[in-house]
Amino acid sequence: MHFIGKDIDQYLSQREYVDTAVVPLLELNLSETGLKSSAGASEYLQSLTALLEKQFKGRILLFPPVSYTAGADRTRMAEEISSEMEKGGFRHVFYMTTDAQWRSMESLKNVLWLPAIPTGDMDRNFKQSVMEDQLRQVLPLFLNEWS
Amino acid sequence: MSNNRVSRRQFLGYTLTGVGGFMAAGMLMPMVRFAVDPVLQQKGTSDFVLTDQRVEDITEEPVRVDFTFEQQDAWYTSEVTNSAWVYKEGDRLIALSPVCKHLGCTVNWAGDPNHPNQFFCPCHAGRYEKNGQNVPGTPPLGPLDEYDVQEQDGFVAIGAAKENTLTV
Ligand code: FES
Protein backbone atom coordinates (compact mmCIF):
# COMPACT_ATOMS: atom_id res chain seq x y z
CA MET A 1 0.00 0.00 0.00
CA HIS A 2 1.05 3.56 -0.57
CA PHE A 3 1.21 6.23 2.08
CA ILE A 4 -1.89 7.98 0.80
CA GLY A 5 -5.25 8.63 2.36
CA LYS A 6 -7.19 5.95 0.55
CA ASP A 7 -4.70 3.18 1.26
CA ILE A 8 -4.31 4.24 4.87
CA ASP A 9 -8.02 3.71 5.49
CA GLN A 10 -7.60 0.15 4.31
CA TYR A 11 -4.36 -0.18 6.24
CA LEU A 12 -6.06 0.85 9.46
CA SER A 13 -8.69 -1.84 9.11
CA GLN A 14 -6.24 -4.56 8.02
CA ARG A 15 -3.27 -3.80 10.20
CA GLU A 16 -2.51 -7.34 11.23
CA TYR A 17 -1.91 -8.22 7.57
CA VAL A 18 0.11 -5.16 6.57
CA ASP A 19 3.00 -5.80 8.92
CA THR A 20 5.93 -4.52 6.87
CA ALA A 21 7.15 -0.98 6.26
CA VAL A 22 9.38 -0.04 3.33
CA VAL A 23 11.29 3.22 3.65
CA PRO A 24 13.32 4.49 0.69
CA LEU A 25 16.31 6.60 1.75
CA LEU A 26 17.39 9.10 -0.88
CA GLU A 27 20.34 11.48 -0.99
CA LEU A 28 19.73 14.75 -2.80
CA ASN A 29 22.74 16.20 -4.52
CA LEU A 30 22.22 19.40 -6.46
CA SER A 31 25.82 20.12 -7.29
CA GLU A 32 26.76 20.55 -10.93
CA THR A 33 28.40 17.14 -10.98
CA GLY A 34 25.97 15.30 -8.73
CA LEU A 35 22.60 16.43 -10.03
CA LYS A 36 22.22 13.96 -12.85
CA SER A 37 23.21 10.89 -10.89
CA SER A 38 21.14 11.99 -7.92
CA ALA A 39 18.08 12.24 -10.15
CA GLY A 40 18.92 8.88 -11.70
CA ALA A 41 19.16 7.27 -8.29
CA SER A 42 15.84 8.80 -7.37
CA GLU A 43 14.20 7.40 -10.48
CA TYR A 44 15.70 3.99 -9.92
CA LEU A 45 14.72 3.81 -6.28
CA GLN A 46 11.19 4.96 -6.90
CA SER A 47 10.62 2.62 -9.84
CA LEU A 48 11.90 -0.30 -7.87
CA THR A 49 9.87 0.41 -4.77
CA ALA A 50 6.77 0.97 -6.89
CA LEU A 51 7.20 -2.47 -8.47
CA LEU A 52 7.72 -3.94 -5.05
CA GLU A 53 4.56 -2.30 -3.82
CA LYS A 54 2.63 -3.77 -6.70
CA GLN A 55 3.91 -7.22 -5.93
CA PHE A 56 3.29 -7.05 -2.18
CA LYS A 57 0.53 -4.46 -1.97
CA GLY A 58 -1.38 -6.29 0.73
CA ARG A 59 1.53 -6.75 3.05
CA ILE A 60 3.76 -3.67 2.82
CA LEU A 61 3.25 -0.01 3.43
CA LEU A 62 5.56 1.95 1.13
CA PHE A 63 6.58 5.31 2.51
CA PRO A 64 7.61 8.28 0.37
CA PRO A 65 11.40 8.59 0.05
CA VAL A 66 13.07 10.14 3.06
CA SER A 67 15.37 12.67 1.43
CA TYR A 68 18.43 14.35 2.88
CA THR A 69 21.59 16.09 1.75
CA ALA A 70 25.10 14.74 1.56
CA GLY A 71 26.17 16.08 4.93
CA ALA A 72 23.15 14.74 6.80
CA ASP A 73 23.87 13.02 10.10
CA ARG A 74 22.80 9.55 9.15
CA THR A 75 23.30 8.12 12.60
CA ARG A 76 20.80 10.55 14.01
CA MET A 77 18.43 10.01 11.11
CA ALA A 78 18.60 6.29 11.66
CA GLU A 79 17.57 6.71 15.28
CA GLU A 80 14.74 9.05 14.47
CA ILE A 81 13.30 7.05 11.64
CA SER A 82 13.52 3.73 13.37
CA SER A 83 11.87 5.06 16.49
CA GLU A 84 9.09 6.52 14.35
CA MET A 85 8.65 3.16 12.64
CA GLU A 86 8.42 1.53 16.04
CA LYS A 87 5.51 3.80 16.86
CA GLY A 88 3.84 2.45 13.76
CA GLY A 89 4.04 -1.02 15.23
CA PHE A 90 5.44 -2.77 12.15
CA ARG A 91 6.78 -6.25 12.60
CA HIS A 92 9.28 -5.78 9.77
CA VAL A 93 10.92 -2.63 8.45
CA PHE A 94 13.02 -2.48 5.29
CA TYR A 95 15.14 0.49 4.29
CA MET A 96 16.00 0.67 0.61
CA THR A 97 18.72 2.95 -0.66
CA THR A 98 21.41 3.47 -3.26
CA ASP A 99 23.51 5.45 -0.76
CA ALA A 100 26.41 3.26 0.39
CA GLN A 101 26.81 5.11 3.66
CA TRP A 102 23.83 3.32 5.13
CA ARG A 103 25.50 -0.03 4.82
CA SER A 104 27.62 0.56 7.86
CA MET A 105 24.72 1.78 9.96
CA GLU A 106 24.35 -0.88 12.60
CA SER A 107 21.33 0.59 14.32
CA LEU A 108 19.20 -0.09 11.23
CA LYS A 109 18.15 -3.63 10.54
CA ASN A 110 17.31 -4.71 7.02
CA VAL A 111 19.03 -2.06 4.97
CA LEU A 112 18.85 -3.12 1.33
CA TRP A 113 21.59 -1.32 -0.48
CA LEU A 114 21.39 -1.42 -4.25
CA PRO A 115 23.76 0.33 -6.65
CA ALA A 116 21.60 2.58 -8.82
CA ILE A 117 21.23 1.66 -12.45
CA PRO A 118 20.70 4.73 -14.61
CA THR A 119 17.50 3.80 -16.43
CA GLY A 120 16.61 7.30 -17.59
CA ASP A 121 17.78 6.90 -21.17
CA MET A 122 16.53 3.36 -21.71
CA ASP A 123 13.51 2.69 -23.85
CA ARG A 124 10.40 1.57 -22.06
CA ASN A 125 10.58 -2.17 -22.61
CA PHE A 126 14.22 -2.38 -21.76
CA LYS A 127 13.77 -0.36 -18.63
CA GLN A 128 10.86 -2.56 -17.61
CA SER A 129 12.90 -5.72 -17.98
CA VAL A 130 15.89 -4.25 -16.15
CA MET A 131 13.71 -3.17 -13.27
CA GLU A 132 11.98 -6.52 -13.06
CA ASP A 133 15.35 -8.13 -12.89
CA GLN A 134 16.18 -5.90 -9.97
CA LEU A 135 12.89 -6.74 -8.36
CA ARG A 136 13.60 -10.44 -8.64
CA GLN A 137 16.75 -9.93 -6.61
CA VAL A 138 14.88 -8.18 -3.85
CA LEU A 139 11.79 -10.39 -3.52
CA PRO A 140 13.56 -13.34 -1.85
CA LEU A 141 14.88 -11.03 0.86
CA PHE A 142 11.32 -10.18 1.80
CA LEU A 143 10.07 -13.74 1.59
CA ASN A 144 12.97 -14.80 3.79
CA GLU A 145 12.25 -12.21 6.38
CA TRP A 146 8.61 -13.21 6.48
CA SER A 147 9.12 -16.94 6.71
CA MET B 1 -24.33 64.06 -25.13
CA SER B 2 -25.16 63.78 -21.50
CA ASN B 3 -27.43 60.92 -22.52
CA ASN B 4 -24.43 58.85 -23.30
CA ARG B 5 -22.76 59.39 -20.05
CA VAL B 6 -22.69 56.38 -17.87
CA SER B 7 -24.33 57.22 -14.61
CA ARG B 8 -22.85 56.06 -11.37
CA ARG B 9 -25.63 53.54 -10.93
CA GLN B 10 -25.23 52.18 -14.44
CA PHE B 11 -21.52 51.96 -13.99
CA LEU B 12 -21.90 49.94 -10.82
CA GLY B 13 -24.46 47.81 -12.58
CA TYR B 14 -22.13 47.05 -15.44
CA THR B 15 -19.17 46.28 -13.31
CA LEU B 16 -21.11 44.09 -10.94
CA THR B 17 -22.60 42.14 -13.82
CA GLY B 18 -19.12 41.82 -15.13
CA VAL B 19 -17.77 40.48 -11.88
CA GLY B 20 -20.83 38.34 -11.32
CA GLY B 21 -20.62 36.91 -14.79
CA PHE B 22 -16.98 36.20 -14.29
CA MET B 23 -17.68 34.41 -11.04
CA ALA B 24 -20.51 32.45 -12.56
CA ALA B 25 -18.23 31.37 -15.36
CA GLY B 26 -15.67 30.37 -12.79
CA MET B 27 -18.21 28.15 -11.13
CA LEU B 28 -19.69 26.85 -14.33
CA MET B 29 -16.50 25.92 -16.08
CA PRO B 30 -15.54 23.09 -13.75
CA MET B 31 -19.14 21.85 -13.86
CA VAL B 32 -19.09 21.83 -17.62
CA ARG B 33 -15.75 20.09 -17.57
CA PHE B 34 -17.05 17.40 -15.27
CA ALA B 35 -20.00 16.89 -17.51
CA VAL B 36 -17.98 16.80 -20.70
CA ASP B 37 -14.90 14.92 -19.61
CA PRO B 38 -16.34 11.42 -19.39
CA VAL B 39 -17.53 11.77 -22.96
CA LEU B 40 -14.12 12.88 -24.12
CA GLN B 41 -12.52 10.04 -22.25
CA GLN B 42 -14.54 7.42 -23.97
CA LYS B 43 -12.07 6.90 -26.72
CA GLY B 44 -10.09 3.84 -25.89
CA THR B 45 -12.04 2.47 -22.94
CA SER B 46 -13.47 -0.55 -24.66
CA ASP B 47 -10.25 -1.13 -26.51
CA PHE B 48 -8.13 -4.22 -26.29
CA VAL B 49 -4.44 -3.84 -25.63
CA LEU B 50 -2.31 -5.86 -27.98
CA THR B 51 0.48 -7.84 -26.32
CA ASP B 52 3.51 -9.48 -27.87
CA GLN B 53 2.42 -12.94 -26.74
CA ARG B 54 1.65 -15.33 -29.63
CA VAL B 55 -1.59 -17.23 -29.20
CA GLU B 56 -0.10 -20.40 -30.67
CA ASP B 57 2.45 -20.50 -27.86
CA ILE B 58 -0.22 -20.47 -25.18
CA THR B 59 -0.89 -23.87 -23.61
CA GLU B 60 -3.02 -25.14 -20.77
CA GLU B 61 -0.32 -23.91 -18.40
CA PRO B 62 -0.95 -20.28 -17.36
CA VAL B 63 1.78 -17.84 -18.43
CA ARG B 64 2.24 -14.24 -17.46
CA VAL B 65 1.45 -11.75 -20.21
CA ASP B 66 2.25 -8.08 -19.73
CA PHE B 67 0.32 -5.27 -21.29
CA THR B 68 0.96 -1.54 -21.14
CA PHE B 69 -1.51 1.28 -21.46
CA GLU B 70 -1.83 4.93 -20.59
CA GLN B 71 -3.60 5.74 -17.41
CA GLN B 72 -4.95 9.16 -16.64
CA ASP B 73 -4.68 10.09 -13.04
CA ALA B 74 -6.22 13.30 -11.82
CA TRP B 75 -3.22 15.38 -12.72
CA TYR B 76 -0.97 13.38 -14.95
CA THR B 77 -0.90 10.63 -17.50
CA SER B 78 1.35 7.72 -16.89
CA GLU B 79 2.14 4.46 -18.55
CA VAL B 80 1.08 1.48 -16.55
CA THR B 81 2.15 -2.08 -17.12
CA ASN B 82 -0.20 -4.72 -15.84
CA SER B 83 -0.14 -8.42 -16.35
CA ALA B 84 -2.55 -11.27 -16.80
CA TRP B 85 -2.31 -15.03 -16.40
CA VAL B 86 -3.27 -16.46 -19.77
CA TYR B 87 -3.96 -20.08 -20.69
CA LYS B 88 -6.06 -22.15 -23.06
CA GLU B 89 -8.97 -24.32 -22.18
CA GLY B 90 -9.48 -26.36 -25.29
CA ASP B 91 -9.43 -23.63 -27.91
CA ARG B 92 -10.70 -20.96 -25.65
CA LEU B 93 -8.33 -18.28 -24.37
CA ILE B 94 -8.64 -17.40 -20.71
CA ALA B 95 -7.02 -14.44 -18.99
CA LEU B 96 -7.11 -13.95 -15.25
CA SER B 97 -6.12 -10.92 -13.23
CA PRO B 98 -3.13 -11.51 -10.96
CA VAL B 99 -4.48 -9.20 -8.28
CA CYS B 100 -5.21 -11.10 -5.09
CA LYS B 101 -8.73 -10.62 -3.82
CA HIS B 102 -7.56 -10.45 -0.27
CA LEU B 103 -5.50 -7.26 -0.13
CA GLY B 104 -4.19 -6.87 -3.65
CA CYS B 105 -0.78 -8.56 -3.87
CA THR B 106 0.25 -10.18 -7.14
CA VAL B 107 -0.38 -13.92 -7.32
CA ASN B 108 1.86 -16.44 -9.07
CA TRP B 109 0.98 -19.63 -10.86
CA ALA B 110 2.48 -22.57 -9.00
CA GLY B 111 4.14 -20.16 -6.58
CA ASP B 112 3.85 -22.68 -3.76
CA PRO B 113 5.71 -25.94 -4.43
CA ASN B 114 3.14 -27.81 -2.35
CA HIS B 115 0.33 -26.72 -4.65
CA PRO B 116 1.76 -26.79 -8.17
CA ASN B 117 -1.64 -26.48 -9.84
CA GLN B 118 -2.85 -23.40 -8.10
CA PHE B 119 -2.21 -19.69 -8.00
CA PHE B 120 -0.40 -18.63 -4.88
CA CYS B 121 -0.29 -15.29 -3.11
CA PRO B 122 3.00 -14.79 -1.27
CA CYS B 123 1.62 -12.19 1.11
CA HIS B 124 -0.64 -14.29 3.31
CA ALA B 125 -0.57 -17.63 1.52
CA GLY B 126 -3.82 -17.14 -0.35
CA ARG B 127 -4.54 -19.79 -2.99
CA TYR B 128 -6.74 -20.07 -6.06
CA GLU B 129 -7.65 -22.90 -8.41
CA LYS B 130 -6.65 -22.59 -12.03
CA ASN B 131 -10.02 -21.08 -12.93
CA GLY B 132 -9.51 -18.40 -10.29
CA GLN B 133 -11.71 -19.94 -7.62
CA ASN B 134 -10.35 -19.04 -4.21
CA VAL B 135 -9.46 -21.99 -2.01
CA PRO B 136 -11.58 -21.97 1.15
CA GLY B 137 -9.61 -21.60 4.34
CA THR B 138 -7.11 -19.20 2.76
CA PRO B 139 -7.53 -15.43 3.24
CA PRO B 140 -9.08 -14.42 -0.13
CA LEU B 141 -12.85 -14.16 -0.05
CA GLY B 142 -13.56 -14.24 -3.76
CA PRO B 143 -12.26 -15.55 -7.07
CA LEU B 144 -9.67 -13.76 -9.23
CA ASP B 145 -11.10 -11.31 -11.74
CA GLU B 146 -11.13 -12.21 -15.39
CA TYR B 147 -10.09 -10.15 -18.41
CA ASP B 148 -11.82 -10.00 -21.74
CA VAL B 149 -9.33 -11.52 -24.10
CA GLN B 150 -9.16 -12.06 -27.86
CA GLU B 151 -6.81 -13.00 -30.63
CA GLN B 152 -5.60 -10.23 -32.93
CA ASP B 153 -3.47 -11.31 -35.87
CA GLY B 154 -2.15 -14.24 -33.93
CA PHE B 155 -1.38 -12.28 -30.79
CA VAL B 156 -3.13 -12.08 -27.44
CA ALA B 157 -5.07 -8.87 -26.82
CA ILE B 158 -6.32 -8.05 -23.34
CA GLY B 159 -9.50 -6.10 -22.70
CA ALA B 160 -11.42 -4.90 -19.68
CA ALA B 161 -11.43 -6.66 -16.33
CA LYS B 162 -14.69 -8.21 -15.21
CA GLU B 163 -15.94 -10.51 -12.53
CA ASN B 164 -14.89 -14.11 -12.86
CA THR B 165 -17.31 -16.03 -15.08
CA LEU B 166 -15.61 -19.42 -14.83
CA THR B 167 -16.38 -20.29 -11.25
CA VAL B 168 -20.05 -20.71 -10.68
S1 FES C 1 -3.09 -10.28 -0.22
FE1 FES C 1 -3.17 -12.25 -1.12
S2 FES C 1 -3.50 -13.49 0.62
FE2 FES C 1 -3.45 -11.53 1.48
Side-chain angles (χ1 to χ4, degrees), chain B residues 57-74:
Chain B
D57 295 339
I58 299 275
T59 65
E60 309 224 310
E61 183 85 0
V63 287
R64 200 185 106 183
V65 176
D66 289 343
F67 58 104
T68 301
F69 55 95
E70 285 202 336
Q71 179 171 296
Q72 277 212 350
D73 229 331

Side-chain angles (χ1 to χ4, degrees), chain B residues 16-162:
Chain B
L16 284 182
T17 316
V19 171
F22 184 70
M23 280 165 56
M27 280 159 57
L28 265 172
M29 275 306 289
M31 280 163 28
V32 170
R33 279 207 356 243
F34 282 134
V36 170
D37 262 1
V39 179
L40 291 178
Q41 280 168 5
Q42 245 171 33
K43 57 172 162 86
T45 43
S46 68
D47 282 356
F48 281 78
V49 182
L50 194 60
T51 70
D52 53 13
Q53 172 69 51
R54 302 192 77 91
V55 172
E56 61 182 19
D57 295 339
I58 299 275
T59 65
E60 309 224 310
E61 183 85 0
V63 287
R64 200 185 106 183
V65 176
D66 289 343
F67 58 104
T68 301
F69 55 95
E70 285 202 336
Q71 179 171 296
Q72 277 212 350
D73 229 331
W75 53 90
Y76 65 88
T77 309
S78 52
E79 276 192 340
V80 182
T81 300
N82 278 347
S83 44
W85 288 104
V86 181
Y87 63 94
K88 267 186 197 151
E89 196 156 271
D91 272 347
R92 185 172 162 213
L93 271 181
I94 290 174
L96 293 178
S97 157
V99 178
C100 181
K101 282 298 188 152
H102 179 219
L103 292 174
C105 293
T106 303
V107 304
N108 294 308
W109 175 249
D112 177 2
N114 296 327
H115 300 278
N117 288 312
Q118 290 182 347
F119 292 101
F120 178 69
C121 178
C123 284
H124 316 103
R127 285 186 282 123
Y128 301 85
E129 307 288 352
K130 188 173 163 187
N131 66 3
Q133 179 69 59
N134 52 305
V135 174
T138 69
L141 296 173
L144 295 173
D145 281 342
E146 196 184 338
Y147 284 111
D148 283 330
V149 60
Q150 58 178 222
E151 179 172 346
Q152 283 179 12
D153 303 321
F155 289 90
V156 173
I158 308 276
K162 59 183 182 190

